[in-house]
Amino acid sequence: MFKVPTVAADRLPALLRRMPKAELHIHIEGSLEPELIFALAHRNGLSLPYADVAALKRAYAFSNLQSFLDIYYAGASVLITEQDFYDMARAYFVKAAQDRVLHAELFFDPQTHTARGVPMRTIVSGLHRACVDARAELGVSALLIMCFLRHLSEEAAFATLEEALPFRDQIVGIGLDSGELGNPPEKFAKVFARCRQLGFRLVAHAGEEGPPAYVWTALDELKVERIDHGVQSTHDAALMQRLARDRIALTVCPLSNLKLCVFPDLARHTLGQLLDAGIVATVNSDDPAYFGGYLNSNFTETFAALGLKAAQAYTLARNSFEASFIEPAAKQAYIRQLDECFETFR
Ligand code: ADE
Ligand code: ZN
């Protein structure tokens, strides 16, 4: 096992920024910056209910998940053409490369676009083309995970799955997102079973605002491999043991949790507790354009607030590669790059 060097506190932010990492929980529609929302609205001849970028930004004051989702879906409504989806993802990949993200797994929410008449082909083609170019031009590998909106019906999820099947080879996995409370994972048991048969990798948001019971059913009824968020698991000792024993990764998003009032301040975040319990936690940005920071801000602000050290930075970065859906050989190659980076801080 790699021996992590001791790194002085004043050099830790540089290490966090420079270390190779993977991002496993990023809603690509949540990377739409206010400036790009206005530019796309203009390009598509749409008007927005905000006078300008500053007015839109003033609306980014959230009290819970739903108060955010209302604005997030409104923002996504400017996406019309294949080029719009490409430009959105490209802007994210440029930022990700600056944050030393070597691999990213992007969530997308097709139902919020197909409901407005945007064809599935337009969505997937634009995002896939951006993924291909990110690898070739920015050195970032990327995969797409299609999410079902849990506030809609399981029947609607089945219809979305059908629409996506012509693009099966461009989508690695299936996720579940949107308003959690009142929409437990088991509502989607049948469609997830079908996705599993089709060979998709499975993840679900659970235990963000919802109870530990939702994490249990995501595992036992949906049979997901990773839990998105999962921070409410700390309230259930048996669940914590299960997550650690089965090495179920949690894709934790600290700045999201702060902005959506899941924790009152970052110093009260339970990331350190999850790591101490031996859980495969990772750090991610969720919806960076709305929550005040991309991946490196999530790392530096959370480490400062919690007093985490180089050993935890190494564990989190390594976990991000190990929990990703890339080939084992590619994982090992990324982890070698991680080790080389830490060596330079010895
Ligand atoms: N969609 C975009 N961001 C989300 C979040 N944090 N939780 C659930 N659904 C989402
Ligand atoms: Zn999310």
Side-chain angles (χ1 to χ4, degrees):
M1 206 41 175
F2 182 73
K3 176 113 175 39
V4 180
T6 307
V7 176
D10 62 337
R11 292 182 75 213
L12 193 56
L15 172 65
L16 293 169
R17 284 192 286 270
R18 220 180 297 161
M19 70 180 184
K21 52 187 79 76
E23 175 146 61
L24 306 180
H25 185 158
I26 159 80
H27 300 263
I28 199 60
E29 294 92 344
S31 75
L32 257 185
E33 291 288 343
E35 292 77 7
L36 188 53
I37 290 178
F38 270 86
L40 295 181
H42 180 72
R43 187 157 95 186
N44 292 321
L46 302 169
S47 66
L48 292 166
Y50 300 94
D52 51 28
V53 165
L56 177 57
K57 283 186 184 167
R58 279 197 294 278
Y60 292 4
F62 313 116
S63 52
N64 55 27
L65 175 56
Q66 191 58 51
S67 65
F68 155 69
L69 290 171
D70 294 340
I71 288 195
Y72 161 85
Y73 292 127
S77 69
V78 301
L79 296 157
I80 308 287
T81 67
E82 194 258 12
Q83 190 66 39
D84 296 343
F85 287 90
Y86 178 93
D87 290 345
M88 169 175 66
R90 178 65 178 199
Y92 164 72
F93 284 128
V94 168
K95 292 215 163 70
Q98 287 165 356
D99 279 2
R100 284 251 43 220
V101 172
L102 303 188
H103 174 72
E105 300 188 357
L106 274 50
F107 292 139
F108 68 106
D109 285 338
Q111 286 160 298
T112 192
H113 313 301
T114 54
R116 298 180 289 108
V118 178
M120 183 69 84
R121 174 182 300 281
T122 300
I123 305 165
V124 179
S125 300
L127 297 179
H128 179 70
R129 184 161 65 86
C131 291
V132 171
D133 287 357
R135 163 153 244 161
E137 296 164 13
L138 302 168
V140 181
S141 61
L143 296 170
L144 295 176
I145 298 177
M146 179 174 84
C147 291
F148 298 132
L149 298 182
R150 68 200 305 158
H151 67 274
L152 301 178
S153 67
E154 186 176 51
E155 199 183 3
F158 266 114
T160 300
L161 177 61
E162 276 306 311
E163 284 179 83
L165 285 184
F167 315 103
R168 169 69 189 87
D169 58 350
Q170 294 169 23
I171 300 171
V172 73
I174 296 293
L176 185 66
D177 65 2
S178 192
E180 187 181 11
L181 291 170
N183 296 299
E186 54 270 31
K187 178 177 165 187
F188 296 90
K190 292 193 195 74
V191 72
F192 266 67
R194 178 74 187 125
C195 293
R196 207 156 100 91
Q197 276 177 347
L198 290 165
F200 286 105
R201 312 296 296 261
L202 304 179
V203 300
H205 282 55
E208 177 183 14
E209 286 186 339
Y214 285 18
V215 179
W216 283 109
T217 53
L219 295 173
D220 292 335
E221 299 198 30
L222 301 190
K223 305 202 184 305
V224 299
E225 299 172 65
R226 300 195 301 241
I227 296 285
D228 297 312
H229 294 290
V231 289
Q232 301 301 336
S233 304
T234 54
H235 299 294
D236 182 335
L239 178 57
M240 293 284 278
Q241 283 176 8
R242 165 83 184 277
L243 294 169
R245 186 197 72 196
D246 291 352
R247 293 192 61 74
I248 306 290
L250 300 188
T251 62
V252 177
C253 307
L255 289 179
S256 165
N257 295 153
L258 179 68
K259 293 293 154 70
L260 301 188
C261 308
V262 173
F263 295 99
D265 61 74
L266 268 187
R268 304 270 290 277
H269 200 283
T270 49
L271 178 64
Q273 200 184 323
L274 294 168
L275 290 171
D276 289 346
I279 288 171
V280 183
T282 64
V283 168
N284 306 271
S285 70
D286 206 8
D287 301 283
Y290 292 90
F291 299 150
Y294 285 75
L295 191 47
N296 281 355
S297 300
N298 273 272
F299 271 105
T300 54
E301 292 183 34
T302 308
F303 271 62
L306 296 178
L308 301 178
K309 302 280 193 305
Q312 283 124 332
Y314 181 81
T315 300
L316 288 163
R318 190 179 170 114
N319 287 349
S320 73
F321 293 119
E322 284 182 345
S324 73
F325 293 148
I326 50 181
E327 296 300 315
K331 282 185 194 180
Q332 288 317 312
Y334 284 141
I335 291 169
R336 273 198 299 279
Q337 289 194 59
L338 176 66
D339 292 356
E340 283 162 21
C341 171
F342 270 74
E343 276 304 332
T344 67
F345 281 81
R346 199 177 292 284

